[in-house]
Amino acid sequence: MGLFNLTQEVAIDLGTANTVIIHGGKIVVNAPSIVALEVRDNKLVAVGHKAQQMMGRTPDTIRTVRPLRDGVIADFNAAEQMIRGMIKMAFANKKSIFTPQLRMVVCIPSGSTEVEIRAVRDSSEHAGGRDVYMIYEPMAAAIGIGIDVLAPEGNMIVDIGGGSTEIAVISLGGIVSNKSIRIAGDDLTQDIMDYMRRQHNIRVGEPTAEQIKLNVGSALTMLDNPPEDFIVRGPNQMTALPMEVPVSYSEVAHCLEKSISKIEAAVLSALESTPPELYADIVRNGVYLTGGGAMLRGLDKRLQDKIGIQFHVAEDPLLSVAKGTGIALKNIERFPFLIR
C-alpha cells in the first residue's frame, strides 16, 4: 500500500527544547531539538538524542547547534537539517521507493512575527512539506488537553516551554488575549548555572543544570513532599579541582525567583486585558498549565495563591501541544484558525 501513497501527513511540535512528530495518530519521534554538524561543510552528523550526547564533547571539526532560541528559528540551515533528519527518523520503517510528499501542521509561538512565521514555513517546505499549515502553541495545547476551543466560553492556557511562555485566553476558535514572553525553561536552566557559579563557586554545564532542575527544581521554598538534595559534581572555578556540592530544592527556588515572578506578572497582564464575561469563565474553569515548565514543583500552588484562581496542571504537560497538533492535522477542514 505504501508504494503509491505519496502524500503523508505529519504534525510537528517544533519546540526549543524538544521536537515531537506525530504520524498516523502516533508519536513517532520525541527527541531533543539539537543537531550536530560538520564545521567545514555543515553536513549533518547526528540529530536528536545522539546530538545531545555530543554536547560539550565534540572535537573542533564538529559543532552542536540548537536551531531554535526563544521558541523561534535562530539558525535557518540547522533547523532545516534538523526537520529533515527527524522526518527521516519518522519514516525509517516505511518501505517506499519514492520520497513522500508531506502535509504538515507545525506549532509556532503565539507572539511570532511575520518574519518568524515565514522562517518556519520555509524550513518546513525545504524539508519536504508540500502543504504547510501552522497553529499557535496555546491553541494546540488547549486542543491537546481536551478543551472545546470552538465553544463560546473562555479558557486560559499557560504553556511554559523551553524558549517561551505562551499565555492565551481562547474562545470561539480564536485567541482573545495573549501574552508571549521569552522567559521559560531555558532561562530557569541559565539561572541555575549562574547560581551554582556565584554561590558555590562550581562550574556546571547546561545538561547538569537541567538535571538539577528536574531533580530539585521548585517554585516554592516549602514543599509538602520535598525531594532529596541533589549532589552536583564539577570543577572549582578558582582551582579547577573536582568538588561535590549538595543542592536543596529551597535554594533552587530562591535562584528561580526572578524568572518565576516574570511569568506571574505575564499571567496577570493577560488577565487584565481579558473581557469581563471571559474572565468569569476563567474563574469558574480555572487556568491550565502545560509545557515542561508546568512540571516545576509547587508552581501551580504558587500561582494559585498569588492570583486567586485555580490552576490545573495538564495530565501530560510535555506532550499536550504535540497531541493538539495531531488532532488539528486530522481536522484541518474543521479548524478555521490554522494559518496557511
Side-chain angles (χ1 to χ4, degrees), residues 1-23:
M1 289 294 288
L3 196 63
F4 300 108
N5 187 14
L6 298 184
T7 302
Q8 301 281 356
E9 295 188 332
V10 291
I12 303 177
D13 173 14
L14 195 63
T16 305
N18 289 288
T19 294
V20 181
I21 298 180
I22 292 177
H23 173 62

Side-chain angles (χ1 to χ4, degrees), residues 90-108:
F91 291 100
N93 298 325
K94 303 278 182 191
K95 298 285 188 289
S96 176
I97 58 173
F98 301 106
T99 304
Q101 291 181 315
L102 299 174
R103 176 189 255 196
M104 295 182 182
V105 176
V106 186
C107 268
I108 53 171

Side-chain angles (χ1 to χ4, degrees), residues 101-120:
Q101 291 181 315
L102 299 174
R103 176 189 255 196
M104 295 182 182
V105 176
V106 186
C107 268
I108 53 171
S110 58
S112 298
T113 64
E114 288 295 326
V115 172
E116 289 163 351
I117 291 171
R118 184 78 234 173
V120 174

